[in-house]
Amino acid sequence: MAWLREDVLSLVPHAVPYVFLTAIIGLVITWYIKRMRKVALIEKLPGPPGIPILGNALEVNVEPREFFQVVKGLSYIWGLCTPIWRVWVGPIPAVQVQRAKEAEVILSSNKHIDKSRDYTFLHPWLGTGLLTSTGPKWRSRRKLLTPAFHFKILEDFMEVFNKQSGIMVKKLEKKANGKDFDIFPDVTLCALDIICETAMGRCVNAQENSESDYVKAIYRIGALVQQRQARPWLQPDILFKLLGYAKEHDACLKVLHDMSYSCIKERRVQYLERKMRKKQQSSSNEDDAFVGKKERLAFLDLLLEAAESDPSITDVDLREEVDTFMFEGHDTTAAAINWSLYLLGTHPEIQARVHEELDMIFGDDDRPVTMNDLREMKMTENCIKEALRLFPSVPFIGRELTEEVVIDSYRIPKGTTIMIVPFRIHRDPEQFPKPEVFDPDRFLAENCKDRHPYAYVPFSAGPRNCIGQKFALMEEKIVLSSILRKFKVGSDVRREDLKLLGELILRPENGNVVQLTPR
């Protein structure tokens, strides 16, 4: 038998390549079968015809200034057939969802919470903070951060909202001569100052110094991320580097991350000092008016407090969340305020109703806005909501399916990108009659009661809704009311002449050109 064993062993080295090749062939066949099943399921959905390999990439991978127009055009064409439709971006299927009932399937789910591939280009800047994380990490971050947006904590930020709005109004007084100018940058710099002070506890004075390295880095890295999302040849890291973009990208990252880490270090020292004062106060039974009541805390301070009780939270984790606040907390808010100004500027009769409301609340008093004032701003708030309906700051919400899902009787396979399109959902005539009309009264209580809960999703919805939406609405009401208490706003730009940019946020290509006149 020894000779037989030797013969068998001698054959093993020759058999290994065949076993390996058989395994490879088996894997390829398995992949091919799965791929064909996926293609077959996706092709059952309506959508524009594609070409081999590239699919519809040549249609949808266009410059940012053209992207939204292309997707909007496809939505109007294919959205007439069905509330969902598909395109192929190379080998990757993307399904567009543009009606509330179908959007609810994804947004209400605790399973379909993974962000789409587009968000991976934010990872170098934001890491895997609340916006970009998934699974257990997202759930733990959400639980950690939710208390930071408690009503009483947001109330402490009123001082910042009022102060920065006042600086902006002073600047606008010099432009309030009835002549055209672009107000978009003024509002954006105000929003940037607000989020820097509330998130990091540091004043960057963007309104006074828009040429600072930090301000320029914020805007440039946003543009680079957008370019990368829209241009497939920039997406591989090696090509991004070879084409020269990575050097500028990394330089921006250094400025942004250095600022965040500097703030973490600075606020940690202040946190420890504050903790020591409380301890000394407690031991001496002094009155506590000095500690904790007069000192306003930034979001970062609340994160530092959480990190002290949980050693697993590192400085990198803190930086991810601070940078996420910075990214999410200024551009989206600035866009909402600007669209509100534009729509009020083109509807003077509605603007007059807002002025009447503000006059009833404030009269001729220049005092800061209070929480009670915010509760009285019903018409102002409805105008902001209606502006967000027509022009949602985030026009697309991307999710990556980790398991198969059925939407409108279509089986959509795992690995598909789902693009929920608030811009189209908000224009469903069944939910919003005469959807193109600017009508703030849509948001009166009696007009909302029968509306589908997912018909209005400017802050997303469901378990992964925007954690900062109360913060955003407070800021928007204060900034917008600060402008309208002082000025009348006019705009000669017709809605049909607007050119929308489908960037990280929805903005007009030529800015928000208005005229201001003192009241």
Side-chain angles (χ1 to χ4, degrees):
M1 294 298 293
W3 63 269
L4 180 60
R5 185 168 59 252
E6 289 176 1
D7 286 345
V8 170
L9 290 174
S10 67
L11 293 173
V12 169
H14 300 287
V16 168
Y18 295 102
V19 172
F20 182 74
L21 181 60
T22 301
I24 293 295
I25 293 172
L27 289 172
V28 169
I29 292 172
T30 301
W31 172 86
Y32 181 78
I33 292 171
K34 289 181 178 179
R35 177 68 183 175
M36 288 300 98
R37 177 183 178 275
K38 184 175 184 177
V39 170
L41 288 173
I42 293 295
E43 283 299 311
K44 290 181 180 180
L45 277 83
I51 60 176
I53 301 176
L54 293 178
N56 308 105
L58 296 179
E59 296 172 73
V60 299
N61 283 302
V62 294
E63 292 295 318
R65 64 186 304 272
E66 301 171 351
F67 177 75
F68 191 80
Q69 305 301 328
V70 168
V71 174
K72 189 171 73 166
L74 289 171
S75 294
Y76 278 109
I77 294 170
W78 295 101
L80 294 174
C81 308
T82 175
I84 63 173
W85 53 276
R86 60 98 190 109
V87 291
W88 287 94
V89 185
I92 301 170
V95 173
Q96 318 289 313
V97 177
Q98 48 189 30
R99 196 172 67 178
K101 179 183 175 183
E102 288 71 27
E104 182 180 11
V105 175
I106 300 298
L107 295 179
S108 66
S109 172
N110 282 303
K111 297 178 180 178
H112 308 302
I113 62 172
D114 286 16
K115 293 300 182 77
S116 66
R117 291 178 177 87
D118 292 326
Y119 292 81
T120 60
F121 303 114
L122 288 166
H123 286 175
W125 179 15
L126 307 182
T128 49
L130 187 64
L131 175 67
T132 50
S133 58
T134 58
K137 182 172 183 178
W138 171 76
R139 290 183 173 87
S140 66
R141 290 291 176 91
R142 181 79 181 204
K143 184 177 180 180
L144 169 69
L145 293 168
T146 295
F149 291 89
H150 187 275
F151 174 79
K152 292 299 294 181
I153 292 174
L154 296 182
E155 189 174 7
D156 290 341
F157 295 142
M158 293 287 290
E159 179 187 351
V160 178
F161 297 156
N162 278 300
K163 179 183 70 175
Q164 296 298 344
S165 296
I167 293 172
M168 178 192 61
V169 167
K170 287 290 184 185
K171 291 179 64 182
L172 292 177
E173 285 176 350
K174 300 174 183 177
K175 304 177 182 181
N177 53 16
K179 296 181 180 180
D180 285 352
F181 77 100
D182 180 10
I183 200 172
F184 210 109
D186 297 283
V187 174
T188 303
L189 291 173
C190 177
L192 182 56
D193 270 338
I194 287 172
I195 198 62
C196 283
E197 195 166 350
T198 54
M200 298 190 297
R202 179 175 291 188
C203 298
V204 298
N205 299 315
Q207 296 191 82
E208 304 296 336
N209 182 20
S210 60
E211 294 301 311
S212 77
D213 289 342
Y214 185 78
V215 173
K216 288 191 288 188
I218 280 275
Y219 293 120
R220 184 55 188 152
I221 201 165
L224 288 169
V225 169
Q226 175 63 37
Q227 284 179 303
R228 221 174 164 187
Q229 288 177 334
R231 299 172 181 174
W233 59 90
L234 292 181
Q235 293 176 6
D237 288 341
I238 188 168
L239 292 179
F240 191 65
K241 185 174 182 179
L242 288 174
L243 292 172
Y245 290 92
K247 184 176 181 180
E248 185 180 10
H249 179 270
D250 293 346
C252 290
L253 280 183
K254 185 177 188 311
V255 172
L256 298 173
H257 287 171
D258 283 353
M259 167 70 91
S260 297
Y261 282 126
S262 170
C263 286
I264 291 169
K265 182 178 180 180
E266 178 183 300
R267 299 300 286 194
R268 178 175 279 119
V269 170
Q270 294 175 10
Y271 170 76
L272 294 174
E273 291 174 348
R274 186 165 58 249
K275 184 179 177 182
M276 182 62 69
R277 288 200 304 269
K278 286 183 178 180
K279 185 176 180 180
Q280 292 171 348
Q281 176 201 36
S282 177
S283 62
S284 61
N285 294 318
E286 294 176 0
D287 180 62
D288 68 351
F290 173 70
V291 179
K293 291 188 177 180
K294 293 185 177 180
E295 192 167 8
R296 185 182 65 249
L297 302 182
F299 287 126
L300 176 54
D301 297 308
L302 303 171
L303 295 176
L304 286 167
E305 186 175 344
E308 186 178 43
S309 58
D310 184 356
S312 68
I313 300 175
T314 66
D315 280 3
V316 172
D317 295 321
L318 297 176
R319 192 264 301 161
E320 287 178 346
E321 299 307 341
V322 168
D323 286 344
T324 297
F325 287 151
M326 295 304 305
F327 170 70
E328 290 197 277
H330 84 280
D331 251 2
T332 51
T333 305
I337 296 166
N338 269 293
W339 286 119
S340 299
L341 287 169
Y342 165 72
L343 289 164
L344 289 170
T346 55
H347 295 81
E349 73 288 357
I350 296 177
Q351 185 178 170
R353 292 173 60 190
V354 176
H355 281 143
E356 182 181 357
E357 176 180 82
L358 296 177
D359 289 344
M360 289 179 62
I361 296 171
F362 299 100
D364 295 326
D365 198 334
D366 284 340
R367 64 178 175 79
V369 181
T370 67
M371 289 298 294
N372 285 335
D373 297 332
L374 290 181
R375 285 188 278 270
E376 294 296 318
M377 292 185 192
K378 306 293 187 183
M379 181 64 185
T380 305
E381 179 173 326
N382 287 346
C383 287
I384 293 170
K385 288 180 176 179
E386 176 71 344
L388 282 168
R389 182 188 71 83
L390 285 167
F391 300 105
S393 296
V394 179
F396 309 104
I397 301 169
R399 299 285 175 86
E400 195 81 12
L401 291 184
T402 55
E403 60 180 67
E404 186 176 287
V405 67
V406 176
I407 303 178
D408 196 40
S409 77
Y410 292 104
R411 293 170 62 192
I412 303 175
K414 173 183 176 180
T416 302
T417 296
I418 300 290
M419 297 299 292
I420 295 163
V421 190
F423 188 92
R424 289 287 291 149
I425 292 173
H426 293 176
R427 283 169 164 75
D428 182 352
E430 290 187 15
Q431 304 294 330
F432 300 100
K434 298 181 180 179
E436 292 297 337
V437 174
F438 177 60
D439 179 12
D441 289 342
R442 297 181 197 274
F443 292 92
L444 294 173
E446 60 268 27
N447 295 331
C448 294
K449 60 181 180 180
D450 297 325
R451 191 173 296 151
H452 193 287
Y454 287 79
Y456 181 69
V457 288
F459 297 102
S460 190
R464 196 140 195 181
N465 68 341
C466 174
I467 196 173
Q469 56 185 290
K470 290 181 181 178
F471 175 96
L473 193 55
M474 284 174 61
E475 178 183 344
E476 288 158 15
K477 288 166 75 173
I478 291 177
V479 175
L480 184 62
S481 65
S482 296
I483 295 171
L484 294 175
R485 286 166 69 183
K486 292 288 186 181
F487 311 110
K488 291 183 179 179
V489 182
S491 176
D492 299 324
V493 180
R494 300 183 307 167
R495 185 93 66 83
E496 54 268 32
D497 293 332
L498 283 174
K499 295 181 180 179
L500 303 179
L501 290 179
E503 297 182 331
L504 297 173
I505 64 163
L506 182 63
R507 70 173 85 232
E509 181 181 4
N510 298 316
N512 184 18
V513 178
V514 299
Q515 311 95 35
L516 293 185
T517 53
R519 291 187 62 199

